[in-house]
Amino acid sequence: MSKGHKGFPWNHVIGFFLSIALTIFAVLMVQYTDFSKSTVMFIIGTLAILQAAIQLFMFMHITEGKSGVINIINITYSVFLAVVIVVGSIWILTTGHAAH
Amino acid sequence: MTWDQFFVTGDPLILASQIAIALTMVGLVVLVTYLKRWKWLWKEWFTTVDHKKIGIMYILAGVVMFFRGGVDGLMMKAQTSRPELEFLDAQHYDEVFTTHGVIMILFMAMPMLIGIMNVVIPLQIGARDVAFPKLNALSFWVFFVGAMLFNISFVIGGSPDAGWTAYFPLAGKEFTPGVGNNYYAIALQIAGIGTLATGVNFIVTILKMRAPGMTLMKMPMFTWTALVTNVIIVAAFPILTVALAFMTLDRLFGTHFFTVAAGGDPMLWLNLFWLWGHPEVYIVVLPAFGMFSEVISTFSRKNLYGYKSMVASIVGIAFLSMLVWVHHFYTMGNSGAVNSVFSITTMAIAIPTGVKIFNWLFTMRKGRIKFTNAMLWSLAFIPCFTIGGVTGVMLAMAAADYQYHNTMFLVAHFHYVLIPGVVFAVFAGLYYWWPKMFGFKLNEKIGYWHFWLFVIGFNVTFMPMFFVGLDGMSRRMFTYSASTGWGPLLGLSAIGALILAAGFAALCYNIYWSFRYASRDVGNDPWDARTLEWATASPPPHYNFAKVPEVSQLDEFWENKKAGITGLKKNEIEEIHMPSNSWTPLFMAVAFGIVGFFLVFEWFIPAAISAVLIVIGLILNSFDYDHGYHVSVEEVEETERKWRGDLK
């Protein structure tokens, strides 16, 4: 169990606080600025991708492990899920009845 | 808030339940004290990290929840058995169908399947436990506390009443101001943590802890379905987590994610709910498919037909399961393109499912079939489930769905999918693995009563619902007039529900009878089965396998039996490293329960204070350096001698 984990887990702590900071930043930006809707969406989208990257590197051990194949399968599946959920939801909720 | 708002008052049925609950709890405490079993309970069950015991606790919880959800169902059937009955009023009926749905899916089907997975999967892959035993205990206790929190709603504070789907705006504060839907949001959130942890735990277990030589394509079919199920859990449950968090924020803190006011969108709830909800259907049905595969193969005395196509169709179903969620709300007013695409993906799911049905049929073809109880459930599953599947394809067509949507036809459809697909499977699995779990078989004769009553009752209950549905009865109607002409069919359906209940009673009697009288001499392999769990004692020793088995082919245990390779050599026994018991999972779960309870009533200061307990639990776990203990060679030898006789 203790093998391979030496010292204080700085990565986790930094990643944790960065994630919280990015989330709070997104909320503050929406609450207290009056950017146009497309600007807001752009900034939130960028923050989301940034946060996903932080999670991958700080928590998800993407740089560890011998087998690159497993990482590729994981990432492909995650991207597939993210696209289905995000693009699918936007498509469903902005077309049809909701568009009128 | 006054006391008569805290406790639900004014309904004699609920008053009777409150008294019954209080008496049962006092009775349990007295019984355990009288039998002096507190220490045993604590040591053997409450703090255990043994996957077999955790699995048994899951199953026990599932049976209890089956009873609760079943009583809800019987109450609905009683209310609609005659036109214009006044057994339940509209509000009470709403509460009953809401709790029936939530409990049957999340607190009956899920724990039954996860329970059987817990017992069987590590044994089937030749492992000594799951990858993270303590996390497994946490999963169970968090699930259990969430389930209990949900269950007390009807006596304390009031039940959720917006349907198991809890659609906004109805489920919002504006239209359901009571605490009922707070229970929904928070209890499901707590239980969901457990499910997600189970998902991670089993993926790691199956990928990392298989016996040497067991490649992916040599895994038993139940292990395959469990793996894919847990991948879907990890993919889908976070969506529910987010949706429930938004719901909680809306209800408790006045945000507007799903409200009509202030730019919220109630349709976003539907969308997120079914993004989780549809994969959830496959989460409960895939392990069931795996169990049927094991049972059918064992009792046809043949290996599973089309193993590779079976694996491909499971993975195909998992892939498609994320792409069909809109078929639950075709009538929400989506664009034609959206509905068309989702119609096609939905119908496409019938293809891999059909492949599996034919594989099971071909497995039986020319097999020497043994009609045990487990096999009977598997045989009954195929035609009943096919009716559910075919009506599903009818519902999948968006244009036609405008006719069926939210009618009793739909209700009949999903009961025809979920009861054969999950409940029959759980019964098959219980009869099949019971001797492995407890060291005795369930009685086959009483089992026949259970089987015939349940299957006949099931068809009599739900078949009429197709017809009243096509006749225009919408779901969730608490009453109807005699002029609709639905009376006779719904009356028949109510009679069916009684037969169904008699079937469940027969199961309970069977468990009682077998526990007292069944022969304890079942050996390690009572069914002459094929997979590794049957290679060790029944019930297995806490370390599962004295020597981790080596695998070179599918159905290794079966092939070894045929080749005459059995037994264990004395010099093969080594010290075994096992995880220690731990009380922190139970502690954490109780802490979650206390915080959840305060949040339900929106008592934020007590909630914040008791949340400290959760943090304490996290810290305790983080600084836990217990690396388990070792079972000595002598102890292993002694245990193995008990069931093997002398070692070579």
Side-chain angles (χ1 to χ4, degrees):
Chain A
M1 285 289 217
S2 53
K3 276 174 261 166
H5 292 286
K6 281 176 204 157
F8 192 76
W10 283 113
N11 266 350
H12 296 77
V13 176
I14 295 169
F16 181 64
F17 283 109
L18 271 178
S19 302
I20 291 179
L22 286 173
T23 308
I24 291 176
F25 187 64
V27 174
L28 292 180
M29 201 244 339
V30 175
Q31 284 276 33
Y32 298 107
T33 61
D34 43 5
F35 295 141
S36 71
K37 202 173 172 186
S38 58
T39 319
V40 167
M41 292 305 263
F42 177 77
I43 299 176
I44 291 183
T46 314
L47 289 177
I49 292 169
L50 211 65
Q51 182 146 331
I54 288 174
Q55 303 258 339
L56 282 175
F57 284 100
M58 300 297 197
F59 302 123
M60 310 280 213
H61 311 280
I62 194 169
T63 51
E64 295 171 26
K66 281 162 266 175
S67 168
V69 181
I70 291 175
N71 269 341
I72 289 170
I73 295 173
N74 285 344
I75 298 283
T76 315
Y77 185 56
S78 313
V79 170
F80 161 73
L81 288 175
V83 169
V84 165
I85 293 167
V86 176
V87 179
S89 298
I90 292 173
W91 184 40
I92 291 157
L93 293 173
T94 56
T95 57
H97 189 69
H100 304 297
Chain B
M1 179 178 269
T2 58
W3 281 109
D4 63 326
Q5 282 172 306
F6 184 71
F7 289 111
V8 178
T9 52
D11 187 316
L13 284 172
I14 290 177
L15 182 66
S17 314
Q18 283 165 333
I19 294 170
I21 291 170
L23 287 179
T24 312
M25 283 169 66
V26 172
L28 280 177
V29 171
V30 169
L31 187 73
V32 175
T33 314
Y34 176 73
L35 296 172
K36 299 201 175 84
R37 284 303 182 111
W38 282 112
K39 202 175 167 194
W40 171 80
L41 263 184
W42 179 260
K43 271 186 73 177
E44 297 289 321
W45 297 96
F46 288 173
T47 59
T48 188
V49 294
D50 183 336
H51 69 96
K52 301 177 286 296
K53 286 181 178 165
I54 290 172
I56 288 169
M57 289 195 286
Y58 263 119
I59 293 167
L60 191 65
V63 172
V64 173
M65 289 295 103
F66 200 167
F67 176 76
R68 158 81 207 262
V71 171
D72 283 343
L74 284 176
M75 286 164 75
M76 285 189 278
K77 287 280 103 185
Q79 166 61 26
T80 54
S81 61
R82 311 281 314 125
E84 306 198 43
L85 265 189
E86 286 175 9
F87 171 58
L88 302 174
D89 59 32
Q91 172 62 25
H92 199 169
Y93 192 81
D94 289 353
E95 294 174 2
V96 168
F97 72 64
T98 303
T99 51
H100 171 78
V102 173
I103 287 175
M104 283 303 202
I105 292 280
L106 287 154
F107 301 139
M108 188 282 284
M110 294 288 288
M112 288 279 207
L113 294 165
I114 292 179
I116 295 177
M117 262 191 238
N118 255 291
V119 174
V120 175
I121 294 297
L123 290 167
Q124 234 177 21
I125 60 175
R128 295 229 156 91
D129 206 320
V130 292
F132 310 111
K134 200 155 111 185
L135 184 69
N136 201 23
L138 181 72
S139 291
F140 169 74
W141 288 111
V142 167
F143 144 76
F144 186 72
V145 163
M148 290 303 111
L149 186 63
F150 188 85
N151 267 275
I152 58 166
S153 63
F154 84 111
V155 288
I156 298 176
S159 276
D161 53 2
W164 89 279
T165 47
Y167 279 178
F168 277 80
L170 178 60
K173 201 78 174 169
E174 193 184 350
F175 296 102
T176 44
V179 299
N181 282 299
N182 292 355
Y183 270 113
Y184 178 97
I186 288 159
L188 261 56
Q189 188 71 284
I190 293 175
I193 299 169
T195 311
L196 192 55
T198 300
V200 174
N201 211 341
F202 275 84
I203 293 175
V204 179
T205 305
I206 296 172
L207 288 181
K208 289 284 181 189
M209 295 178 66
R210 295 190 309 276
M214 186 187 274
T215 57
L216 286 177
M217 292 311 274
K218 285 172 191 154
M219 293 199 303
M221 193 44 64
F222 181 50
T223 305
W224 253 114
T225 55
L227 173 65
V228 173
T229 301
N230 286 296
V231 170
I232 309 179
I233 286 180
V234 172
F237 262 77
I239 306 172
L240 179 70
T241 307
V242 170
L244 287 173
F246 286 170
M247 178 191 248
T248 310
L249 289 171
D250 270 13
R251 289 190 59 88
L252 267 55
F253 301 101
T255 56
H256 294 283
F257 288 104
F258 304 128
T259 58
V260 182
D265 188 352
M267 291 189 277
L268 179 60
W269 167 264
L270 271 80
N271 182 63
L272 290 177
F273 182 86
W274 288 114
L275 256 167
W276 159 78
H278 196 85
E280 166 68 11
V281 175
Y282 290 92
I283 291 168
V284 293
V285 96
L286 280 182
F289 286 173
M291 291 185 216
F292 286 131
S293 302
E294 301 291 346
V295 169
I296 288 175
S297 162
T298 298
F299 294 114
S300 305
R301 335 295 307 150
K302 282 176 69 195
N303 57 354
L304 191 65
Y305 182 90
Y307 179 89
K308 279 181 192 159
S309 64
M310 217 56 152
V311 172
S313 53
I314 298 166
V315 176
I317 288 174
F319 176 74
L320 285 171
S321 76
M322 298 300 299
L323 295 171
V324 296
W325 75 97
V326 174
H327 69 218
H328 295 273
F329 50 88
Y330 283 142
T331 56
M332 191 174 80
N334 313 306
S335 68
V338 170
N339 277 1
S340 310
V341 166
F342 282 91
S343 273
I344 292 165
T345 52
T346 303
M347 283 186 262
I349 270 201
I351 298 167
T353 317
V355 169
K356 297 175 76 69
I357 298 266
F358 283 108
N359 278 341
W360 289 316
L361 293 177
F362 281 126
T363 306
M364 285 185 271
R365 183 172 173 269
K366 288 190 174 173
R368 277 173 290 137
I369 296 175
K370 283 190 179 174
F371 291 96
T372 58
N373 272 208
M375 188 63 180
L376 282 178
W377 287 109
S378 314
L379 291 173
F381 151 78
I382 293 176
C384 293
F385 185 80
T386 305
I387 296 174
V390 169
T391 49
V393 177
M394 288 168 73
L395 285 156
M397 290 177 276
D401 181 66
Y402 273 75
Q403 195 63 28
Y404 313 127
H405 184 80
N406 271 2
T407 64
M408 290 302 261
F409 184 85
L410 165 83
V411 177
H413 153 72
F414 69 69
H415 282 89
Y416 260 89
V417 172
L418 288 172
I419 293 181
V422 180
V423 181
F424 286 16
V426 166
F427 289 151
L430 283 182
Y431 278 92
Y432 183 59
W433 280 300
W434 196 272
K436 187 48 66 185
M437 287 189 267
F438 298 104
F440 60 89
K441 285 183 186 177
L442 286 174
N443 183 289
E444 289 281 311
K445 251 192 201 139
I446 307 173
Y448 290 141
W449 279 97
H450 170 209
F451 172 77
W452 286 110
L453 285 170
F454 202 94
V455 172
I456 292 170
F458 158 70
N459 280 290
V460 175
T461 308
F462 295 104
M463 189 56 84
M465 288 192 187
F466 282 121
F467 298 98
V468 289
L470 291 177
D471 211 14
M473 183 178 182
S474 73
R475 76 193 290 199
R476 296 169 173 171
M477 280 178 77
F478 87 106
T479 193
Y480 54 95
S481 75
S483 62
T484 55
W486 301 331
L489 279 173
L490 288 172
L492 180 66
S493 173
I495 294 169
L498 287 176
I499 306 174
L500 203 58
F504 181 71
L507 170 69
C508 294
Y509 177 67
N510 197 354
I511 293 174
Y512 165 78
W513 189 95
S514 309
F515 182 73
R516 293 210 51 178
Y517 306 114
S519 157
R520 264 32 180 196
D521 184 26
V522 289
N524 62 316
D525 181 24
W527 309 116
D528 196 10
R530 317 179 72 84
T531 40
L532 282 179
E533 71 268 32
W534 304 101
T536 187
S538 314
H542 62 107
Y543 50 77
N544 289 355
F545 297 96
K547 173 179 172 277
V548 171
E550 276 169 40
V551 176
S552 60
Q553 57 206 323
L554 192 63
D555 294 343
E556 174 82 16
F557 177 60
W558 173 261
E559 303 296 339
N560 282 352
K561 275 193 291 187
K562 276 206 303 194
I565 310 167
T566 47
L568 174 75
K569 291 190 189 101
K570 203 172 164 184
N571 58 9
E572 288 176 329
I573 298 177
E574 287 170 15
E575 254 192 4
I576 295 171
H577 182 200
M578 295 298 293
S580 316
N581 283 1
S582 172
W583 54 274
T584 46
L586 179 60
F587 171 80
M588 293 263 301
V590 171
F592 270 112
I594 295 169
V595 176
F597 185 78
F598 288 139
L599 279 180
V600 165
F601 286 89
E602 300 176 26
W603 297 335
F604 294 120
I605 293 168
I609 294 170
S610 42
V612 173
L613 292 174
I614 299 178
V615 179
I616 292 174
L618 287 171
I619 292 172
L620 281 173
N621 272 313
S622 301
F623 293 95
D624 180 3
Y625 294 108
D626 186 344
H627 292 308
Y629 64 98
H630 290 267
V631 188
S632 68
V633 176
E634 292 76 41
E635 196 190 326
V636 177
E637 261 184 45
E638 201 191 308
T639 319
E640 294 297 314
R641 270 213 188 86
K642 261 185 207 151
W643 68 276
R644 287 177 193 268
D646 268 340
L647 301 174
K648 278 177 244 172

